Amino acid sequence: MNRIYILLLLTAFSLSGFAQQKPSIKLGTKTLYQPLQSNYTPVPSGYKAVYINFIGRHGARHLTKDVKVSYAWRLLKKADSLNVLNDEGKMLWKMVSNLDKVEEKGFASISKTGAEELEGIAKRMYTNQKNVFSGNSTPLMISTTKKGRTKESAEAFLAGLKAEKPSLTENVKFNYADDDHLRFYDFSKTYNEFEEHGAWIKEYQKLANIKKLNSITDQFVNKFFKADFLKSLNPENRTTFIEDIYGFYTILGAIEYEIKAVNLNDTDLNFAKYFIATDLKALGVLGDAEDFLKKGPGMNANGIQVRIAAPLLADFINTTDSYLKSNSPKADLRFAHAETVAPFAAIMNIKGASEPAKDILSFNQVWKAEKVIPFSANIQWIFYKNESKNQYLVKFLLNEKEVAINGLSTKTYPYYNWDSVRAFYLKKLKSLKVRLNDNMHDYLLNVK
């Protein structure tokens, strides 16, 4: 299969250098985190916050792989040794070498910016829900995936809580590598087949043809190599090359502190100069479209890319039930990936994150990557109890914004009756043939 469609990382960005990038710039999944709301609807009379159920993406990060293992590094190094780089190619090779200096020890980890994102979320959670964290010993449960960057994100989050109230980190339980609930996409053969050969590819290629992706790729690669050497680069080579260079660019905003730490500046890493502004817009749309089709509601809100999130939905219900029985822990805090948060938002029926597209050409009217899964993206279920009535309300936040649940009504928006919410989601799980006590690993292995 032509690998053109794999331009997953391509997202919209400005022609300015990394130091000018601000969190408000839309970079799809590489958008730096900013809360989407700061002033909240008053809590109904008689209710107080008592419990938080949370899932978050890891913070802004470094590259996930060493620069030296990238195809771009190997190709530029070879071309340099053969003296087939033109002047622009030599400059690009220098930039890639500069990036290697920044990333050689940090790849696959969150950056300082990422840690600051998570600390900020934790501090705002404490400030907005102080009643949850009252008392001298507040038990917390932390769950992460097997990836180190999710553990680092949990640590940064705890640092934010500790800065607000030191005793909050004294009673924490850890559940590392909870991949059945948090990396569910790794275990489903049906989903893996969907990723490789699913109907989404046809939809993506339809959009790619309109955006003239092949032309963008060819024009980009032609800037750096002498004519005879260019003939040796097939379409797959060219696609991988632009993927790598664009991936290098999109990470710069996330590692700004680390770049400055090795005394580099905008000019030293100005990958943006090689992209035409109109092409960047097209690449951004295509990158978001691929995320929408493979991780979000896509063209079918009940597709396999959403159904694989059933274990996490069941886990949210189970952990909530456990809290209601024992009043512990006060918060279940999970740290995972964009591939976790996007399907979960879809299976939850969150407005603005769960609607499928009727036509891929207009998908960004119903779903925006920078609003759903930026770095440090998070979904919070915040529970409020009325002691006299022994009743619970729950409010849903997506990236700290109050959100509605499609198909679920309430007279006290954004607060929903928990019994109604639970029944609503149990009905959804039943439609997927999932029960709360099922073996979720087996479910993922067998889901169709």
Side-chain angles (χ1 to χ4, degrees):
M1 181 185 300
N2 192 325
R3 290 185 63 225
I4 291 294
Y5 75 85
I6 303 179
L7 286 167
L8 158 66
L9 296 176
L10 304 183
T11 47
F13 59 93
S14 139
L15 285 173
S16 61
F18 67 85
Q20 282 72 48
Q21 178 179 312
K22 301 297 181 184
S24 59
I25 292 176
K26 299 175 182 179
L27 291 167
T29 63
K30 304 302 184 295
T31 301
L32 299 184
Y33 184 82
Q34 285 284 284
L36 298 182
Q37 187 172 336
S38 56
N39 296 315
Y40 294 97
T41 305
V43 180
S45 178
Y47 286 85
K48 291 184 178 181
V50 293
Y51 170 65
I52 299 171
N53 221 338
F54 173 98
I55 176 67
R57 184 190 179 193
H58 58 74
R61 58 164 173 76
H62 293 263
L63 294 169
T64 55
K65 295 182 180 179
D66 189 345
V67 174
K68 288 188 177 71
V69 305
S70 69
Y71 176 75
W73 171 279
R74 290 182 282 114
L75 181 64
L76 289 167
K77 183 177 182 179
K78 176 181 178 181
D80 182 56
S81 68
L82 295 174
N83 195 30
V84 292
L85 290 174
N86 59 27
D87 289 344
E88 293 291 353
K90 292 176 182 177
M91 186 176 297
L92 179 63
W93 174 224
K94 179 62 176 177
M95 289 183 189
V96 173
S97 299
N98 286 337
L99 183 60
D100 180 58
K101 296 176 183 178
V102 181
E103 293 290 82
E104 59 182 348
K105 295 182 180 179
F107 67 90
S109 297
I110 66 169
S111 62
K112 182 178 179 181
T113 294
E116 290 177 346
E117 290 175 343
L118 271 299
E119 290 171 13
I121 294 169
K123 290 178 179 180
R124 289 187 295 274
M125 179 185 287
Y126 175 82
T127 298
N128 293 329
Q129 315 299 342
K130 283 185 179 179
N131 192 67
V132 173
F133 303 105
S134 62
N136 295 325
S137 180
T138 304
L140 307 175
M141 172 61 78
I142 299 287
S143 300
T144 72
T145 73
K146 63 184 178 183
K147 297 294 184 179
R149 57 185 173 273
T150 63
K151 296 177 183 178
E152 294 165 351
S153 296
E155 291 166 359
F157 190 95
L158 287 174
L161 288 180
K162 185 175 182 179
E164 297 299 312
K165 186 177 179 180
S167 64
L168 284 178
T169 59
E170 294 175 358
N171 190 3
V172 181
K173 295 182 179 180
F174 293 91
N175 181 18
Y176 291 135
D178 183 16
D179 287 356
D180 282 341
H181 294 120
L182 302 179
R183 285 181 64 86
F184 39 76
Y185 46 89
D186 272 350
F187 302 113
S188 171
K189 181 179 179 180
T190 303
Y191 178 70
N192 291 337
E193 291 173 348
F194 167 80
E195 273 194 302
E196 293 296 324
H197 309 293
W200 73 269
I201 296 172
K202 181 179 179 180
E203 297 295 329
Y204 179 88
Q205 290 178 333
K206 175 182 177 181
L207 187 60
N209 290 337
I210 291 174
K211 298 298 181 181
K212 299 180 180 180
L213 183 55
N214 288 333
S215 177
I216 292 172
T217 300
D218 286 340
Q219 290 177 21
F220 180 82
V221 175
N222 290 347
K223 296 176 181 180
F224 307 108
F225 306 97
K226 293 181 180 179
D228 288 343
F229 187 74
L230 278 170
K231 296 176 183 178
S232 68
L233 301 180
N234 61 36
E236 183 177 356
N237 298 146
R238 293 168 182 244
T239 298
T240 305
F241 182 75
I242 194 174
E243 285 175 0
D244 286 347
I245 301 302
Y246 197 91
F248 295 160
Y249 174 81
T250 59
I251 213 69
L252 296 180
I255 58 172
E256 183 172 349
Y257 288 114
E258 290 80 359
I259 290 170
K260 292 178 179 178
V262 293
N263 299 314
L264 295 175
N265 57 40
D266 296 29
T267 304
D268 298 319
L269 291 163
N270 190 18
F271 296 110
K273 66 179 290 186
Y274 298 117
F275 294 89
I276 301 170
T278 53
D279 290 346
L280 300 181
K281 184 176 181 180
L283 295 173
V285 170
L286 290 169
D288 287 357
E290 186 166 354
D291 287 321
F292 172 72
L293 290 165
K294 292 168 62 177
K295 304 172 187 174
M299 311 303 290
N300 178 5
N302 292 313
I304 186 62
Q305 80 283 1
V306 176
R307 296 199 304 276
I308 54 173
L312 183 54
L313 181 57
D315 186 53
F316 263 67
I317 297 172
N318 283 329
T319 49
T320 297
D321 287 348
S322 179
Y323 166 76
L324 295 181
K325 290 178 182 178
S326 63
N327 290 323
S328 183
K330 292 295 186 178
D332 280 282
L333 306 167
R334 306 166 185 80
F335 299 88
H337 307 272
E339 293 89 344
T340 313
V341 176
F344 187 58
I347 202 170
M348 276 184 60
N349 284 30
I350 290 179
K351 185 177 181 178
S354 62
E355 297 87 349
K358 295 180 179 179
D359 188 333
I360 191 59
L361 302 184
S362 58
F363 82 93
N364 51 7
Q365 294 179 14
V366 297
W367 192 91
K368 299 183 185 300
E370 73 274 5
K371 295 290 183 66
V372 180
I373 45 172
F375 283 129
S376 295
N378 59 89
I379 294 171
Q380 302 181 39
W381 294 15
I382 304 175
F383 287 80
Y384 303 82
K385 184 178 182 181
N386 184 308
E387 291 286 353
S388 63
K389 297 180 180 179
N390 195 31
Q391 292 180 348
Y392 292 87
L393 298 177
V394 57
K395 177 171 71 173
F396 303 99
L397 301 182
L398 173 61
N399 299 325
E400 299 178 70
K401 179 181 179 181
E402 296 169 340
V403 288
I405 304 299
N406 291 327
L408 185 60
S409 62
T410 178
K411 295 181 180 180
T412 55
Y413 179 81
Y415 302 91
Y416 290 80
N417 178 274
W418 168 240
D419 289 338
S420 298
V421 170
R422 189 177 189 278
F424 178 78
Y425 285 137
L426 284 179
K427 182 178 180 180
K428 182 149 196 175
L429 289 173
K430 183 177 180 180
S431 72
L432 301 176
K433 299 181 180 179
V434 177
R435 296 170 298 181
L436 294 182
N437 60 349
D438 282 351
N439 182 311
M440 294 305 171
H441 189 76
D442 287 345
Y443 165 78
L444 293 171
L445 292 177
N446 296 293
V447 63
K448 300 297 183 183

